[in-house]
Amino acid sequence: MRTRVLSRRRRGPLCRRSDVVEAWTAVAVTVLLLTVPLAGVLTTRWTYADARAAADEQRADRHRVRAEVLERPSKAQASSGSERRNATRATVRWTDPDGGVRTALARVPAHVRPGEPVHVWLDSWGREVLPPVDDASVWQYGVGMGTLAAGSTAAVLLLAHRAVRRAALRRRLEEWERDWARTGPLWTHRGV
């Protein structure tokens, strides 16, 4: 039956154009769904390369220094954000590679006391920044974006296929209704 539907010529009186369109759409969607993993892999590689370049740039620009806490962190200076719940801000002091002593307000653990050493990440201008992105985060980002691309591509294809099937069904029912309006009175002897 399927070979008849997929053939160029319509062989039977019950095979409608909408049947042929629906069958060819199913073939096209199947072929395109086979390429979805490729789209995911390509997206993963592309986003991984971009994230890796950004992480390398951060590593080149940022450096970690060992600083000494000068004052007890206050609760009023607590950092906002869920990733820094156990961190507060306090004044810290460190020595530059040039030998100069610098102080700044930096994120420190909430339980730290004055005089204790902490590690602070600084950029090339000496401003406090977050640590550079690690390798695991780069991989997670790449794989996550690849998975999202593959999943959304498959979803779009399946939704488009569903829309074509609904339109084909609507068209098929209209064709059958029109043909029955023409043929029905001959069979039921109504209107003769």
Side-chain angles (χ1 to χ4, degrees):
M1 180 71 171
R2 184 155 305 267
T3 56
R4 287 184 190 166
V5 171
L6 292 178
S7 68
R8 234 181 234 189
R9 294 174 44 222
R10 295 187 315 183
R11 290 213 164 101
L14 296 179
C15 185
R16 309 278 181 212
R17 182 178 295 161
S18 57
D19 295 326
V20 175
V21 168
E22 185 177 352
W24 279 109
T25 303
V27 169
V29 166
T30 302
V31 169
L32 289 174
L33 281 175
L34 293 175
T35 65
V36 165
L38 179 63
V41 168
L42 291 176
T43 304
T44 298
R45 290 183 65 158
W46 178 61
T47 54
Y48 174 78
D50 282 352
R52 167 60 65 207
D56 290 343
E57 205 173 288
Q58 286 180 356
R59 286 189 191 109
D61 183 53
R62 299 174 184 186
H63 60 281
R64 189 170 86 162
V65 296
R66 184 179 170 110
E68 177 186 354
V69 178
L70 296 179
E71 64 180 15
R72 186 173 201 82
S74 67
K75 295 196 189 299
Q77 296 173 332
S79 297
S80 62
S82 60
E83 77 263 0
R84 296 289 179 193
R85 259 179 229 265
N86 296 328
T88 58
R89 291 193 168 275
T91 305
V92 296
R93 176 180 56 209
W94 70 92
T95 305
D96 274 342
D98 302 336
V101 176
R102 304 223 13 214
T103 60
L105 195 61
R107 284 184 212 95
V108 296
H111 63 280
V112 74
R113 295 186 179 154
E116 289 184 8
V118 293
H119 292 284
V120 178
W121 284 91
L122 304 171
D123 63 7
S124 57
W125 293 298
R127 297 178 300 193
E128 186 207 5
V129 293
L130 293 173
V133 178
D134 61 346
D135 292 335
S137 297
V138 170
W139 270 109
Q140 287 174 348
Y141 177 73
V143 170
M145 292 303 288
T147 303
L148 179 66
S152 59
T153 302
V156 166
L157 285 171
L158 293 174
L159 286 173
H161 178 62
R162 182 177 175 157
V164 168
R165 286 190 66 192
R166 290 185 93 175
L169 177 63
R170 195 174 324 118
R171 173 78 176 181
R172 184 180 314 118
L173 290 175
E174 289 170 0
E175 290 173 349
W176 284 353
E177 199 61 42
R178 188 174 54 246
D179 288 348
W180 182 250
R182 194 174 48 217
T183 309
L186 298 174
W187 284 21
T188 59
H189 304 294
R190 290 186 192 150
V192 178

